[in-house]
Amino acid sequence: MTQAHASTPVSAVTGMLPEELESDFITIGEPKYRARQLLEWVYDKRVARYDEMTNLGKGLREKLQQWRALTTMECVTVQGSRDTTRKFLFRLYDGRYVETVLIPASPALYGSASDRRTVCVSSQVGCAYDCKFCASGLNGFTRNLGADEIVEQLLQVERQSGEKINNVVFMGMGEPLANLTNVLRAVQIINAEWGMHIGARHMTISTSGLAPQIKKLADQPLQIRLALSLHGATDEVREQIMPVNRKYPLDRLFESLHYYAERKKQMISFEFILIENVNDSLSQARALAGRAKEIGAKVNLIPYNTVEGLPWKRPDEHQQEAFLKVLQDAGVKATLRREKGHDIDAACGQLRLKQEAADAS
Ligand code: SAH
């Protein structure tokens, strides 16, 4: 039997592979085809309680209840409404919190016919990488999420919203590549036909730039997409705001990106948040264009969302557009997120910090 992470005794059903559940059933003296029945209830019929699994006898349901949890987390807050970005706050079995964001199709981004519904999942409680602009790491790192806790974010968002998710981005709290084993297990379950059945090409893992882990990801078979949180186009600028750059400076990082692009034959994307007087100069834009062309990457420019307690702010629109133009003139595929007033969209990690503060008071 697997343990999704050291601190929970046993993973919930949603972190398990069919063969592992089969050995569960054998252990409790039941035929192993029951495992498939259980998975159908969870992923096809989206049932959240053993009571509702009517083709499993009452005695068995009670046994299962004792044996393995169906869920280990509870949705405590939903912010936002239909047609807008919604943010879900979950309380985990140990009283910690993580956030998940549901982003409906944006006509501006995908064309009005798009039915893309994206969920942004968290992979850790807190974060150890200490990016200076980010709310997720403000209280440091607490623990990895188990595969079950990652999969459950999706199941619960679907259940709460009544919408079918078809795109997943690992851009919530935490550094997914620092929790690679559990993240890959979750990806496998999300991708599986017996699981959530979402294509690997509809999943994106975002990283602050863990070079060795990028190579490990390149070596596994699924065609997951990779996004790099670049945020600085030279070592000098990047290391001011992202301490991870001292460990893996740009040349080392790009060596691993080349490896990824080569192995996967895929276009990588760069996330670049624009922060006034930090990384928004036109010379940064030119350096960024060079880096993007080097790897054939596309660039997503994101005006910085202010974080309570942090000094940074976004440049004015004129500067944002000028920055974008440098990239476009250099022939780089680039987008600039122009929507305003996305309070709810504001940096991941903030809702959790507020909830923790409220719990403590
Ligand atoms: N640790 C991974 C996954 C988190 S992704 C990574 O760094 O890629 C979350 C994205 O939101 C990252 O690109 C991060 O840099 C960005 N981000 C963090 N704080 C932000 C803020 N205040 N405004 C806009 N984007 C922010």
Side-chain angles (χ1 to χ4, degrees):
M1 219 166 307
T2 6
Q3 290 196 201
H5 43 76
S7 42
T8 36
V10 199
S11 159
V13 171
T14 46
M16 307 285 291
L17 303 176
E19 54 276 21
E20 295 165 343
L21 283 171
E22 283 172 1
S23 52
D24 260 23
F25 279 92
I26 290 165
T27 312
I28 58 173
E30 292 285 336
K32 65 180 189 180
Y33 70 85
R34 294 283 190 205
R36 292 281 168 179
Q37 290 180 324
L38 175 55
L39 289 171
E40 275 167 27
W41 282 112
V42 173
Y43 296 109
D44 293 345
K45 304 187 185 121
R46 300 297 163 98
V47 151
R49 299 194 348 253
Y50 281 119
D51 297 358
E52 296 172 55
M53 301 183 180
T54 46
N55 63 356
L56 308 178
K58 192 157 184 285
L60 172 58
R61 292 192 320 244
E62 276 163 13
K63 243 199 266 184
L64 287 172
Q65 186 82 47
Q66 302 300 320
W67 182 254
R68 190 175 288 285
L70 267 184
T71 179
T72 60
M73 53 202 248
E74 186 194 350
C75 182
V76 288
T77 316
V78 183
Q79 280 187 358
S81 55
R82 257 197 133 63
D83 305 324
T84 62
T85 299
R86 263 167 289 171
K87 202 176 233 187
F88 300 77
L89 184 70
F90 293 104
R91 184 166 43 233
L92 308 177
Y93 70 90
D94 57 356
R96 305 289 183 173
Y97 295 93
V98 287
E99 289 170 32
T100 310
V101 178
L102 172 63
I103 308 157
S106 159
L109 283 177
Y110 306 118
S112 50
S114 168
D115 65 348
R116 182 150 12 173
R117 282 171 306 276
T118 300
V119 164
C120 174
V121 290
S122 293
S123 55
Q124 298 183 314
V125 181
C127 185
Y129 288 85
D130 198 26
C131 296
K132 299 303 171 199
F133 46 80
C134 182
S136 291
L138 281 180
N139 284 358
F141 171 71
T142 305
R143 69 170 173 87
N144 283 332
L145 294 186
D148 50 350
E149 292 168 314
I150 296 171
V151 174
E152 276 187 49
Q153 292 175 61
L154 300 178
L155 282 172
Q156 292 214 26
V157 166
E158 284 197 344
R159 212 171 278 135
Q160 296 269 342
S161 65
E163 290 182 41
K164 176 84 185 80
I165 293 157
N166 51 21
N167 201 44
V168 179
V169 295
F170 286 81
M171 293 187 183
M173 198 191 298
E175 170 49 56
L177 294 191
N179 184 18
L180 191 58
T181 306
N182 293 345
V183 164
L184 286 179
R185 172 180 276 260
V187 163
Q188 188 182 348
I189 296 168
I190 296 164
N191 179 242
E193 245 172 82
W194 53 262
M196 299 201 71
H197 208 184
I198 297 176
R201 287 171 191 281
H202 298 280
M203 291 186 234
T204 302
I205 292 187
S206 181
T207 179
S208 60
L210 308 192
Q213 305 296 89
I214 290 173
K215 285 193 173 171
K216 277 197 189 155
L217 190 63
D219 285 336
Q220 63 75 46
L222 286 175
Q223 283 289 341
I224 318 162
R225 296 184 181 278
L226 181 68
L228 174 75
S229 292
L230 190 58
H231 310 330
T234 53
D235 284 322
E236 194 195 1
V237 169
R238 193 168 195 260
E239 70 184 26
Q240 273 175 34
I241 48 177
M242 300 183 72
V244 67
N245 196 75
R246 281 184 219 122
K247 194 156 184 199
Y248 306 116
L250 289 175
D251 285 344
R252 167 97 195 267
L253 177 56
F254 273 68
E255 192 239 325
S256 71
L257 294 181
H258 280 291
Y259 184 82
Y260 191 93
E262 194 47 36
R263 293 292 284 243
K264 298 283 187 195
K265 307 273 178 259
Q266 252 189 41
M267 190 186 244
I268 293 174
S269 33
F270 292 166
E271 309 290 310
F272 201 95
I273 32 178
L274 291 169
I275 312 177
E276 190 177 63
N277 296 331
V278 174
N279 64 0
D280 65 335
S281 69
L282 299 188
S283 70
Q284 274 293 294
R286 284 187 287 272
L288 173 57
R291 286 294 188 181
K293 285 167 94 168
E294 174 190 336
I295 201 94
K298 64 173 182 190
V299 177
N300 297 320
L301 297 176
I302 305 147
Y304 183 66
N305 284 310
T306 38
V307 174
E308 252 175 66
L310 296 181
W312 322 98
K313 60 177 195 172
R314 58 174 66 177
D316 64 28
E317 281 173 32
H318 174 77
Q319 187 64 17
Q320 295 173 23
E321 297 288 345
F323 195 100
L324 173 67
K325 187 162 184 305
V326 170
L327 296 176
Q328 289 173 335
D329 288 351
V332 173
K333 204 170 153 203
T335 59
L336 167 65
R337 196 195 283 171
R338 290 193 176 84
E339 307 99 288
K340 284 174 237 152
H342 263 200
D343 298 343
I344 188 88
D345 209 3
C348 226
Q350 297 193 68
L351 190 56
R352 173 202 55 141
L353 291 177
K354 282 185 188 146
Q355 184 70 45
E356 283 181 358
D359 286 359
S361 63

